[in-house]
Amino acid sequence: MFLRHWTLKEAYGKARGLGLLLPPDSYAVAPDAPGGPRPAAADDDGSRWQLAQWPRGDRHLLAVAVRRGNGPDVTVVRHHGPP
């Protein structure tokens, strides 16, 4: 569960262009929220963000954060690479 939280928080911080300069205690992410993970931050509208996460092998997770505006969720597609 820690790794799920951490990778989502890191993806969100990087997507905002701040990375680790965004204090980790200034925002939260609920990985199992209805409709998918969303951030909650005092200085940002978490409803405008879409987060996604996938396992990468047995020991790694991949996370992405997309600022989607006021429209519906975007389609995030993970390509597995060449065969």
Side-chain angles (χ1 to χ4, degrees):
M1 187 56 76
F2 170 80
L3 192 56
R4 289 188 66 205
H5 276 90
W6 178 261
T7 55
L8 289 166
K9 287 183 80 160
E10 188 173 332
Y12 173 71
K14 287 180 179 179
R16 286 192 58 185
L18 298 169
L20 294 176
L21 293 176
L22 185 62
D25 61 348
S26 69
Y27 62 102
V29 174
D32 298 321
R38 300 268 190 230
D43 66 340
D44 192 22
D45 182 2
S47 69
R48 297 185 66 191
W49 288 88
Q50 183 176 342
L51 285 72
Q53 190 172 57
W54 303 273
R56 182 73 176 136
D58 292 336
R59 298 177 41 200
H60 299 89
L61 286 173
L62 169 76
V64 63
V66 178
R67 186 179 305 174
R68 61 180 178 78
N70 293 322
D73 282 355
V74 297
T75 300
V76 178
V77 179
R78 177 181 165 227
H79 293 276
H80 295 278

